[in-house]
Amino acid sequence: MKRNKYEIIIDTREKTPLFLSYPNIIRQSLAIGDYSIKGYESLIAIERKGYNDYISCCKNYKHFYNQIKKLSTIEYPFVVFSFDYFKLIQEDYLNLTIKKKLSFLRILEKHHIPYIFIGDSFILEYFIIEYFEFFFRDRKNVI
């Protein structure tokens, strides 16, 4: 499937959305994740977490865990952290220990949800598009 042939859905709760110059964007509420593909919302979702959002999750474990449980119910889940991993382990934010900060990555691993840290928004957009392309290639090979 060629790029721009499908519509990317961006959840309405996403405060600083990516893909501002992408032609096929729909803003609508998503039950799971922040980004998906029109018509495939029940199969693929990407949850995006910024640094402050991640730190909030460290403080509000229940909300994050519920998001991950929902995400684990679909076939193609992914979590993208829109900051560099080194920021997570270097900054002493609210006196959170490294163990506490990294415990959320173990939750993702426990639920078999892949994740990646990408601090550059251009590369992050590219990665998400590539993951959507992978989804279509993988589905084509399954059918």
Side-chain angles (χ1 to χ4, degrees), residues 22-53:
Y22 195 80
N24 298 327
I25 296 295
I26 300 170
R27 292 293 303 242
Q28 74 181 48
S29 181
L30 287 168
I32 301 173
D34 296 315
Y35 298 88
S36 191
I37 302 170
K38 180 77 172 168
Y40 299 94
E41 300 94 307
S42 63
L43 295 174
I44 184 167
I46 296 175
E47 178 69 31
R48 177 182 170 208
K49 293 284 181 213
Y51 181 72
N52 289 335
D53 197 16

Side-chain angles (χ1 to χ4, degrees), residues 84-133:
D84 292 322
Y85 175 76
F86 293 108
K87 184 173 184 174
L88 181 69
I89 60 173
Q90 289 175 344
E91 287 196 16
D92 184 21
Y93 193 79
L94 301 176
N95 296 320
L96 291 172
T97 65
I98 295 295
K99 182 178 179 181
K100 178 74 173 174
K101 290 180 188 177
L102 298 181
S103 66
F104 294 98
L105 300 181
R106 286 192 284 283
I107 293 169
L108 293 173
E109 292 164 358
K110 177 183 173 187
H111 287 90
H112 307 286
I113 297 174
Y115 61 88
I116 192 167
F117 289 84
I118 302 176
D120 180 280
S121 60
F122 177 78
I123 295 171
L124 185 56
E125 284 184 9
Y126 181 80
F127 176 82
I128 291 172
I129 293 293
E130 287 300 314
Y131 189 67
F132 289 160
E133 295 290 327

Side-chain angles (χ1 to χ4, degrees), residues 12-26:
T12 53
R13 293 167 294 231
E14 184 73 351
K15 293 175 186 154
T16 55
L18 299 169
F19 304 106
L20 296 177
S21 63
Y22 195 80
N24 298 327
I25 296 295
I26 300 170

